[in-house]
Short mmCIF file of all heavy atoms in Angstrom, two decimals:
data_model
loop_
_atom_site.label_atom_id
_atom_site.label_comp_id
_atom_site.label_asym_id
_atom_site.label_seq_id
_atom_site.Cartn_x
_atom_site.Cartn_y
_atom_site.Cartn_z
N CYS A 58 -27.60 -3.23 -6.69
CA CYS A 58 -26.96 -2.58 -5.53
C CYS A 58 -26.19 -1.39 -6.08
O CYS A 58 -25.62 -1.48 -7.17
CB CYS A 58 -25.95 -3.50 -4.87
SG CYS A 58 -26.68 -5.01 -4.28
N TYR A 59 -26.17 -0.31 -5.34
CA TYR A 59 -25.45 0.89 -5.79
C TYR A 59 -24.40 1.27 -4.76
O TYR A 59 -24.70 1.38 -3.57
CB TYR A 59 -26.42 2.06 -5.99
CG TYR A 59 -27.37 1.83 -7.13
CD1 TYR A 59 -28.54 1.08 -6.96
CD2 TYR A 59 -27.09 2.33 -8.40
CE1 TYR A 59 -29.40 0.85 -8.02
CE2 TYR A 59 -27.95 2.10 -9.47
CZ TYR A 59 -29.10 1.35 -9.27
OH TYR A 59 -29.95 1.11 -10.33
N ASP A 60 -23.16 1.46 -5.24
CA ASP A 60 -22.10 1.98 -4.38
C ASP A 60 -21.80 3.38 -4.92
O ASP A 60 -21.12 3.54 -5.94
CB ASP A 60 -20.87 1.05 -4.46
CG ASP A 60 -19.74 1.52 -3.57
OD1 ASP A 60 -19.94 2.49 -2.79
OD2 ASP A 60 -18.63 0.93 -3.65
N LEU A 61 -22.34 4.40 -4.23
CA LEU A 61 -22.28 5.77 -4.75
C LEU A 61 -21.08 6.51 -4.15
O LEU A 61 -21.00 6.70 -2.94
CB LEU A 61 -23.60 6.50 -4.42
CG LEU A 61 -24.86 5.80 -4.96
CD1 LEU A 61 -26.12 6.53 -4.51
CD2 LEU A 61 -24.83 5.69 -6.48
N GLY A 62 -20.15 6.91 -5.01
CA GLY A 62 -18.87 7.45 -4.55
C GLY A 62 -18.00 6.27 -4.17
O GLY A 62 -17.50 6.17 -3.05
N CYS A 63 -17.81 5.37 -5.15
CA CYS A 63 -17.20 4.06 -4.85
C CYS A 63 -15.69 4.13 -4.66
O CYS A 63 -15.09 3.18 -4.14
CB CYS A 63 -17.53 3.08 -5.97
SG CYS A 63 -16.89 3.60 -7.59
N SER A 64 -15.05 5.21 -5.08
CA SER A 64 -13.58 5.33 -5.02
C SER A 64 -12.92 4.08 -5.62
O SER A 64 -13.21 3.74 -6.76
CB SER A 64 -13.08 5.57 -3.59
OG SER A 64 -13.65 6.73 -3.05
N ALA A 68 -16.09 -0.92 -0.93
CA ALA A 68 -17.44 -1.34 -0.53
C ALA A 68 -18.06 -2.24 -1.60
O ALA A 68 -18.76 -3.20 -1.30
CB ALA A 68 -18.32 -0.11 -0.26
N THR A 69 -17.77 -1.93 -2.87
CA THR A 69 -18.26 -2.76 -3.97
C THR A 69 -17.79 -4.21 -3.80
O THR A 69 -18.56 -5.16 -3.93
CB THR A 69 -17.74 -2.21 -5.33
OG1 THR A 69 -18.30 -0.92 -5.53
CG2 THR A 69 -18.10 -3.10 -6.50
N ILE A 72 -19.63 -5.84 -0.94
CA ILE A 72 -21.01 -6.20 -1.33
C ILE A 72 -20.98 -7.47 -2.17
O ILE A 72 -21.73 -8.42 -1.96
CB ILE A 72 -21.70 -5.05 -2.13
CG1 ILE A 72 -21.84 -3.78 -1.30
CG2 ILE A 72 -23.05 -5.51 -2.67
CD1 ILE A 72 -22.26 -2.54 -2.11
N ILE A 83 -24.19 -4.91 -9.47
CA ILE A 83 -23.71 -3.80 -8.63
C ILE A 83 -23.33 -2.65 -9.56
O ILE A 83 -22.59 -2.84 -10.53
CB ILE A 83 -22.48 -4.19 -7.78
CG1 ILE A 83 -22.77 -5.44 -6.94
CG2 ILE A 83 -22.05 -3.03 -6.88
CD1 ILE A 83 -21.55 -6.01 -6.22
N VAL A 84 -23.85 -1.45 -9.26
CA VAL A 84 -23.49 -0.26 -10.02
C VAL A 84 -22.60 0.59 -9.12
O VAL A 84 -23.03 1.02 -8.05
CB VAL A 84 -24.75 0.52 -10.46
CG1 VAL A 84 -24.35 1.72 -11.32
CG2 VAL A 84 -25.73 -0.39 -11.20
N ALA A 85 -21.35 0.77 -9.54
CA ALA A 85 -20.38 1.50 -8.73
C ALA A 85 -20.06 2.82 -9.44
O ALA A 85 -19.61 2.83 -10.58
CB ALA A 85 -19.10 0.67 -8.59
N VAL A 86 -20.36 3.92 -8.76
CA VAL A 86 -20.31 5.24 -9.41
C VAL A 86 -19.29 6.15 -8.73
O VAL A 86 -19.27 6.25 -7.50
CB VAL A 86 -21.70 5.93 -9.32
CG1 VAL A 86 -21.71 7.23 -10.12
CG2 VAL A 86 -22.81 5.00 -9.76
N ASP A 87 -18.48 6.82 -9.52
CA ASP A 87 -17.60 7.85 -8.96
C ASP A 87 -17.33 8.89 -10.05
O ASP A 87 -17.25 8.55 -11.23
CB ASP A 87 -16.28 7.25 -8.46
CG ASP A 87 -15.65 8.10 -7.37
OD1 ASP A 87 -15.12 9.20 -7.72
OD2 ASP A 87 -15.67 7.71 -6.19
N SER A 88 -17.16 10.15 -9.63
CA SER A 88 -16.92 11.21 -10.62
C SER A 88 -15.44 11.41 -10.90
O SER A 88 -15.08 12.24 -11.73
CB SER A 88 -17.55 12.52 -10.14
OG SER A 88 -17.16 12.79 -8.82
N VAL A 116 -19.40 3.20 -13.31
CA VAL A 116 -19.90 4.36 -14.04
C VAL A 116 -19.09 5.59 -13.61
O VAL A 116 -19.01 5.91 -12.43
CB VAL A 116 -21.40 4.62 -13.70
CG1 VAL A 116 -21.91 5.88 -14.38
CG2 VAL A 116 -22.25 3.40 -14.07
N GLY A 118 -19.19 9.17 -13.37
CA GLY A 118 -20.21 10.22 -13.45
C GLY A 118 -20.57 10.72 -12.07
O GLY A 118 -20.05 10.25 -11.05
N ASP A 119 -21.49 11.67 -12.08
CA ASP A 119 -21.94 12.29 -10.83
C ASP A 119 -23.08 11.47 -10.24
O ASP A 119 -24.00 11.09 -10.97
CB ASP A 119 -22.40 13.72 -11.15
CG ASP A 119 -22.49 14.55 -9.89
OD1 ASP A 119 -23.31 14.21 -9.00
OD2 ASP A 119 -21.75 15.54 -9.79
N ILE A 120 -23.00 11.22 -8.94
CA ILE A 120 -24.06 10.39 -8.32
C ILE A 120 -25.43 11.09 -8.41
O ILE A 120 -26.45 10.43 -8.33
CB ILE A 120 -23.76 10.03 -6.84
CG1 ILE A 120 -23.58 11.27 -5.96
CG2 ILE A 120 -22.52 9.15 -6.76
CD1 ILE A 120 -23.53 10.96 -4.46
N ARG A 121 -25.42 12.42 -8.62
CA ARG A 121 -26.69 13.13 -8.75
C ARG A 121 -27.38 12.85 -10.08
O ARG A 121 -28.55 13.16 -10.25
CB ARG A 121 -26.46 14.65 -8.58
CG ARG A 121 -26.13 15.03 -7.15
CD ARG A 121 -25.57 16.41 -7.03
NE ARG A 121 -24.22 16.49 -7.61
CZ ARG A 121 -23.42 17.54 -7.49
NH1 ARG A 121 -23.82 18.60 -6.82
NH2 ARG A 121 -22.21 17.52 -8.04
N ASP A 122 -26.64 12.27 -11.03
CA ASP A 122 -27.22 12.01 -12.36
C ASP A 122 -27.54 10.54 -12.60
O ASP A 122 -28.02 10.18 -13.67
CB ASP A 122 -26.23 12.44 -13.46
CG ASP A 122 -25.89 13.91 -13.38
OD1 ASP A 122 -26.76 14.67 -12.92
OD2 ASP A 122 -24.75 14.27 -13.74
N VAL A 123 -27.20 9.69 -11.64
CA VAL A 123 -27.36 8.26 -11.89
C VAL A 123 -28.78 7.80 -11.59
O VAL A 123 -29.35 8.15 -10.55
CB VAL A 123 -26.35 7.46 -11.02
CG1 VAL A 123 -26.67 5.99 -11.02
CG2 VAL A 123 -24.95 7.70 -11.55
N GLU A 124 -29.34 7.04 -12.53
CA GLU A 124 -30.70 6.53 -12.32
C GLU A 124 -30.65 5.36 -11.34
O GLU A 124 -29.83 4.46 -11.49
CB GLU A 124 -31.27 6.08 -13.67
CG GLU A 124 -32.76 5.89 -13.59
CD GLU A 124 -33.32 5.12 -14.79
OE1 GLU A 124 -32.53 4.57 -15.58
OE2 GLU A 124 -34.55 5.08 -14.89
N ILE A 125 -31.50 5.40 -10.33
CA ILE A 125 -31.52 4.33 -9.33
C ILE A 125 -32.83 3.57 -9.48
O ILE A 125 -33.91 4.16 -9.35
CB ILE A 125 -31.33 4.90 -7.92
CG1 ILE A 125 -29.93 5.53 -7.87
CG2 ILE A 125 -31.48 3.83 -6.83
CD1 ILE A 125 -29.62 6.36 -6.70
N ALA A 128 -33.51 -1.24 -6.49
CA ALA A 128 -32.36 -1.39 -5.58
C ALA A 128 -32.76 -2.05 -4.28
O ALA A 128 -33.74 -1.66 -3.65
CB ALA A 128 -31.74 -0.02 -5.29
N MET A 130 -30.07 -2.58 -2.08
CA MET A 130 -29.04 -2.02 -1.19
C MET A 130 -28.36 -0.83 -1.87
O MET A 130 -27.99 -0.91 -3.05
CB MET A 130 -28.00 -3.09 -0.85
CG MET A 130 -26.95 -2.60 0.12
SD MET A 130 -25.98 -4.00 0.77
CE MET A 130 -24.90 -3.14 1.91
N VAL A 131 -28.24 0.25 -1.12
CA VAL A 131 -27.52 1.44 -1.62
C VAL A 131 -26.52 1.85 -0.55
O VAL A 131 -26.84 1.86 0.64
CB VAL A 131 -28.50 2.61 -1.91
CG1 VAL A 131 -27.74 3.85 -2.36
CG2 VAL A 131 -29.54 2.21 -2.97
N VAL A 132 -25.29 2.13 -1.00
CA VAL A 132 -24.23 2.51 -0.06
C VAL A 132 -23.72 3.91 -0.41
O VAL A 132 -23.36 4.18 -1.56
CB VAL A 132 -23.08 1.48 -0.13
CG1 VAL A 132 -21.88 1.96 0.68
CG2 VAL A 132 -23.54 0.12 0.38
N LEU A 133 -23.72 4.78 0.59
CA LEU A 133 -23.09 6.10 0.49
C LEU A 133 -22.04 6.11 1.59
O LEU A 133 -22.30 6.58 2.70
CB LEU A 133 -24.12 7.20 0.76
CG LEU A 133 -25.06 7.65 -0.35
CD1 LEU A 133 -26.23 8.45 0.24
CD2 LEU A 133 -24.34 8.49 -1.40
N ASN A 134 -20.90 5.51 1.33
CA ASN A 134 -19.88 5.36 2.38
C ASN A 134 -18.94 6.57 2.33
O ASN A 134 -18.01 6.60 1.54
CB ASN A 134 -19.11 4.04 2.19
CG ASN A 134 -18.67 3.43 3.51
OD1 ASN A 134 -19.37 3.55 4.52
ND2 ASN A 134 -17.53 2.76 3.52
N TYR A 135 -19.22 7.56 3.17
CA TYR A 135 -18.43 8.80 3.26
C TYR A 135 -18.44 9.58 1.95
O TYR A 135 -17.40 10.09 1.52
CB TYR A 135 -16.99 8.49 3.71
CG TYR A 135 -16.91 7.61 4.93
CD1 TYR A 135 -16.62 6.24 4.82
CD2 TYR A 135 -17.20 8.11 6.21
CE1 TYR A 135 -16.58 5.41 5.93
CE2 TYR A 135 -17.17 7.28 7.33
CZ TYR A 135 -16.86 5.94 7.17
OH TYR A 135 -16.83 5.12 8.28
N THR A 136 -19.60 9.68 1.32
CA THR A 136 -19.72 10.39 0.03
C THR A 136 -20.68 11.57 0.09
O THR A 136 -20.39 12.62 -0.49
CB THR A 136 -20.22 9.43 -1.07
OG1 THR A 136 -19.33 8.33 -1.18
CG2 THR A 136 -20.29 10.12 -2.42
N LEU A 137 -21.81 11.41 0.79
CA LEU A 137 -22.83 12.49 0.80
C LEU A 137 -22.22 13.80 1.30
O LEU A 137 -22.60 14.88 0.86
CB LEU A 137 -24.01 12.07 1.69
CG LEU A 137 -25.26 12.95 1.57
CD1 LEU A 137 -25.94 12.76 0.23
CD2 LEU A 137 -26.25 12.70 2.70
N GLN A 138 -21.24 13.69 2.22
CA GLN A 138 -20.59 14.87 2.80
C GLN A 138 -19.93 15.77 1.75
O GLN A 138 -19.63 16.93 2.03
CB GLN A 138 -19.55 14.40 3.83
CG GLN A 138 -18.49 13.49 3.24
CD GLN A 138 -17.71 12.69 4.29
OE1 GLN A 138 -18.10 12.60 5.45
NE2 GLN A 138 -16.56 12.12 3.90
N PHE A 139 -19.69 15.24 0.55
CA PHE A 139 -19.06 16.05 -0.50
C PHE A 139 -20.08 16.74 -1.41
O PHE A 139 -19.71 17.51 -2.28
CB PHE A 139 -18.10 15.19 -1.35
CG PHE A 139 -16.91 14.71 -0.56
CD1 PHE A 139 -16.80 13.38 -0.16
CD2 PHE A 139 -15.91 15.60 -0.18
CE1 PHE A 139 -15.71 12.95 0.58
CE2 PHE A 139 -14.82 15.17 0.57
CZ PHE A 139 -14.72 13.85 0.96
N LEU A 140 -21.37 16.45 -1.24
CA LEU A 140 -22.38 17.15 -2.05
C LEU A 140 -22.73 18.46 -1.36
O LEU A 140 -22.78 18.53 -0.13
CB LEU A 140 -23.68 16.33 -2.15
CG LEU A 140 -23.71 15.06 -2.98
CD1 LEU A 140 -25.17 14.63 -3.21
CD2 LEU A 140 -23.00 15.18 -4.30
N MET A 148 -31.10 14.06 -3.41
CA MET A 148 -30.34 12.81 -3.61
C MET A 148 -30.97 11.67 -2.82
O MET A 148 -31.22 10.58 -3.35
CB MET A 148 -28.87 13.04 -3.16
CG MET A 148 -27.96 11.85 -3.41
SD MET A 148 -27.53 11.68 -5.15
CE MET A 148 -27.96 9.97 -5.45
N LEU A 149 -31.25 11.93 -1.55
CA LEU A 149 -31.84 10.89 -0.69
C LEU A 149 -33.24 10.51 -1.17
O LEU A 149 -33.63 9.34 -1.11
CB LEU A 149 -31.89 11.39 0.76
CG LEU A 149 -30.69 11.05 1.66
CD1 LEU A 149 -30.87 9.68 2.28
CD2 LEU A 149 -29.36 11.09 0.92
N ARG A 151 -34.29 10.58 -4.28
CA ARG A 151 -34.17 9.73 -5.48
C ARG A 151 -33.75 8.31 -5.10
O ARG A 151 -34.19 7.34 -5.68
CB ARG A 151 -33.16 10.32 -6.47
CG ARG A 151 -33.75 11.45 -7.29
CD ARG A 151 -32.98 11.78 -8.53
NE ARG A 151 -31.55 11.75 -8.37
CZ ARG A 151 -30.76 10.78 -8.80
NH1 ARG A 151 -31.26 9.76 -9.47
NH2 ARG A 151 -29.46 10.85 -8.61
N ILE A 152 -32.87 8.22 -4.09
CA ILE A 152 -32.44 6.89 -3.65
C ILE A 152 -33.65 6.13 -3.11
O ILE A 152 -33.90 4.98 -3.48
CB ILE A 152 -31.33 7.00 -2.56
CG1 ILE A 152 -30.04 7.52 -3.19
CG2 ILE A 152 -31.11 5.64 -1.88
CD1 ILE A 152 -28.91 7.80 -2.20
N TYR A 153 -34.42 6.81 -2.27
CA TYR A 153 -35.59 6.16 -1.67
C TYR A 153 -36.54 5.67 -2.77
O TYR A 153 -37.03 4.54 -2.73
CB TYR A 153 -36.31 7.16 -0.74
CG TYR A 153 -37.54 6.58 -0.12
CD1 TYR A 153 -37.45 5.77 1.02
CD2 TYR A 153 -38.82 6.81 -0.66
CE1 TYR A 153 -38.58 5.22 1.60
CE2 TYR A 153 -39.94 6.25 -0.09
CZ TYR A 153 -39.82 5.46 1.04
OH TYR A 153 -40.94 4.90 1.60
N MET A 156 -35.56 2.49 -4.55
CA MET A 156 -35.36 1.28 -3.74
C MET A 156 -36.64 0.47 -3.64
O MET A 156 -37.74 1.00 -3.67
CB MET A 156 -34.88 1.67 -2.33
CG MET A 156 -33.39 1.94 -2.31
SD MET A 156 -32.79 2.59 -0.74
CE MET A 156 -33.05 1.21 0.30
N LEU A 162 -30.26 1.19 3.09
CA LEU A 162 -29.28 2.23 2.76
C LEU A 162 -28.22 2.28 3.86
O LEU A 162 -28.57 2.29 5.05
CB LEU A 162 -29.99 3.59 2.66
CG LEU A 162 -29.07 4.82 2.58
CD1 LEU A 162 -28.32 4.87 1.25
CD2 LEU A 162 -29.87 6.10 2.77
N VAL A 163 -26.95 2.31 3.47
CA VAL A 163 -25.88 2.54 4.44
C VAL A 163 -25.34 3.95 4.17
O VAL A 163 -24.91 4.25 3.04
CB VAL A 163 -24.73 1.51 4.27
CG1 VAL A 163 -23.61 1.80 5.27
CG2 VAL A 163 -25.24 0.09 4.44
N LEU A 164 -25.38 4.79 5.17
CA LEU A 164 -24.93 6.18 5.04
C LEU A 164 -23.84 6.44 6.08
O LEU A 164 -24.14 6.52 7.27
CB LEU A 164 -26.12 7.13 5.26
CG LEU A 164 -25.77 8.62 5.36
CD1 LEU A 164 -25.23 9.14 4.04
CD2 LEU A 164 -27.01 9.44 5.76
N SER A 165 -22.59 6.53 5.63
CA SER A 165 -21.49 6.80 6.57
C SER A 165 -21.01 8.22 6.32
O SER A 165 -20.87 8.64 5.16
CB SER A 165 -20.34 5.83 6.34
OG SER A 165 -20.81 4.50 6.33
N GLU A 166 -20.72 8.94 7.39
CA GLU A 166 -20.37 10.36 7.27
C GLU A 166 -19.45 10.83 8.37
O GLU A 166 -19.49 10.31 9.50
CB GLU A 166 -21.66 11.21 7.36
CG GLU A 166 -22.59 11.13 6.18
CD GLU A 166 -22.26 12.09 5.08
OE1 GLU A 166 -22.34 13.32 5.27
OE2 GLU A 166 -21.91 11.61 3.98
#
Side-chain angles (χ1 to χ4, degrees):
C58 300
Y59 293 83
D60 181 7
L61 303 176
C63 61
S64 301
T69 296
I72 297 169
I83 305 172
V84 183
V86 186
D87 205 288
S88 50
V116 177
D119 197 297
I120 59 170
R121 289 166 290 189
D122 300 330
V123 168
E124 195 194 10
I125 296 169
M130 183 167 182
V131 177
V132 171
L133 278 165
N134 213 33
Y135 310 102
T136 302
L137 192 70
Q138 58 197 14
F139 294 107
L140 290 194
M148 184 75 232
L149 268 274
R151 281 198 319 104
I152 290 175
Y153 178 82
M156 279 173 67
L162 169 69
V163 179
L164 172 65
S165 309
E166 289 273 296

